[in-house]
Amino acid sequence: MNQPQRSINGITVNAFSSWDDILDRVGCDPKLYVAVNAEKIIAAPQEIRDAINANIGYCDGAGSVMAMKQKGVKDVARLPGCELWLKIIERYHQQGWKFYIVGANPQVHAATIEKLQQEYPGINIVGHRDGYLKDDAERQALIDDVASTQPDAVFVAMGSPKQERLMRDMQQRHTAVYVGLGGSYDVYTGAVPRAPLWWQRHGLEFMYRFLRQPSRWRRQLHYIPFMWKYITRQL
Ligand code: UDP
């Protein structure tokens, strides 16, 4: 069942060879599934590294696939987080799984729930809320609700590291499959366009996002130390 693993700059990453490979694991190993990309490899704070290492990191970006290959793993697929959650729903919603949906602004959040109900008739969403938690009391109420509704899978789209912190705290109260999704609901509802296939296939999705949302430039700077460490084999 267990896939090959490598430590990349202190983050343990699992080499899943295909969608079926990760979906089989999701079905029998309820943990946090954390998308690992160049940015996390370089910049994730230690508490997030610890959470990934205690759970399941997978290759969401072209950078993590390159690093795995450099470390001798041949059969590793890039599995973007923005597709993983939908594949989990596709495979498991007819098997009676219960889902909990968290994240994005109130408009995108509402549109996400509506679209899921249209695309997956009968989907069992046991709870949901947008990602803008005003205070600790709201955060705690959300964690309590997840514990009491007992979902099989919880999707949290709030950006990193906020979503990983929240999922880690939820996991302490209730065991389930947790997937952090960043801006995936924005893409799902069409609020933000996804990179065209050519960019995706050439490992340039990050560049497309940068060109569409130049305000992300600070985050893209992490690719420079990433490439340096890759070229000098220090990852
Ligand atoms: N977001 C949220 N709560 C917050 C901050 C952000 O729900 O407190 C949402 C935001 O609306 C967007 C997503 O989190 O949908 C962040 O997307 P981003 O592109 O930054 O994430 P990435 O995919 O790069 O991790």
Side-chain angles (χ1 to χ4, degrees):
M1 175 185 94
N2 284 357
Q3 286 70 20
Q5 296 182 326
R6 292 291 184 277
S7 176
I8 303 181
N9 208 32
I11 296 185
T12 305
V13 182
N14 293 265
F16 293 100
S17 59
S18 64
W19 284 115
D20 277 340
D21 195 19
I22 194 168
L23 290 170
D24 290 346
R25 180 87 181 254
V26 162
C28 63
D29 200 5
K31 291 216 175 93
L32 252 73
Y33 286 74
V34 184
V36 179
N37 52 28
E39 186 182 343
K40 278 208 191 82
I41 289 169
I42 295 299
Q46 190 56 46
E47 56 168 324
I48 302 304
R49 291 171 189 268
D50 293 342
I52 300 174
N53 295 347
N55 287 277
I56 299 172
Y58 64 92
C59 292
D60 145 278
S64 44
V65 170
M66 279 163 55
M68 292 295 271
K69 290 195 168 162
Q70 188 180 62
K71 287 179 181 262
V73 180
K74 289 195 183 74
D75 197 10
V76 53
R78 181 167 97 91
L79 304 170
C82 67
E83 294 177 42
L84 175 61
W85 69 296
L86 294 170
K87 302 224 182 246
I88 292 173
I89 293 174
E90 267 160 38
R91 185 183 289 193
Y92 293 110
H93 87 282
Q94 282 165 339
Q95 297 182 23
W97 273 36
K98 298 187 278 182
F99 298 97
Y100 204 108
I101 313 284
V102 181
N105 69 41
Q107 294 76 19
V108 169
H109 180 82
T112 300
I113 300 297
E114 206 180 307
K115 188 168 175 192
L116 286 173
Q117 283 163 342
Q118 273 166 14
E119 288 198 322
Y120 306 97
I123 183 174
N124 190 359
I125 298 174
V126 291
H128 65 92
R129 71 147 294 159
D130 67 78
Y132 290 82
L133 303 166
K134 283 185 209 74
D135 50 31
D136 274 354
E138 279 199 12
R139 190 175 189 276
Q140 196 51 49
L142 173 59
I143 295 171
D144 291 345
D145 197 45
V146 167
S148 73
T149 52
Q150 303 266 302
D152 298 285
V154 183
F155 302 126
V156 185
M158 295 170 66
S160 207
K162 207 179 263 181
Q163 62 195 22
E164 282 81 19
R165 285 195 185 114
L166 181 59
M167 293 191 296
R168 185 196 55 197
D169 294 349
M170 288 170 164
Q171 187 188 37
Q172 279 167 11
R173 291 282 308 282
H174 169 63
T175 299
V177 170
Y178 289 89
V179 187
L181 294 170
S184 299
Y185 302 159
D186 304 80
V187 174
Y188 181 58
T189 58
V192 172
R194 184 151 183 220
L197 275 181
W198 186 90
W199 296 71
Q200 291 181 35
R201 289 203 184 114
H202 290 80
L204 292 171
E205 197 155 11
F206 72 97
M207 182 62 71
Y208 182 84
R209 292 183 82 181
F210 169 62
L211 295 173
R212 296 284 314 197
Q213 298 169 271
S215 56
R216 298 170 67 94
W217 71 271
R218 256 178 217 286
R219 297 177 52 176
Q220 309 290 332
L221 289 180
H222 296 305
Y223 288 98
I224 298 170
F226 176 83
M227 283 314 294
W228 173 251
K229 283 188 175 238
Y230 174 75
I231 291 163
T232 56
R233 295 183 167 265
Q234 293 180 65
L235 284 173

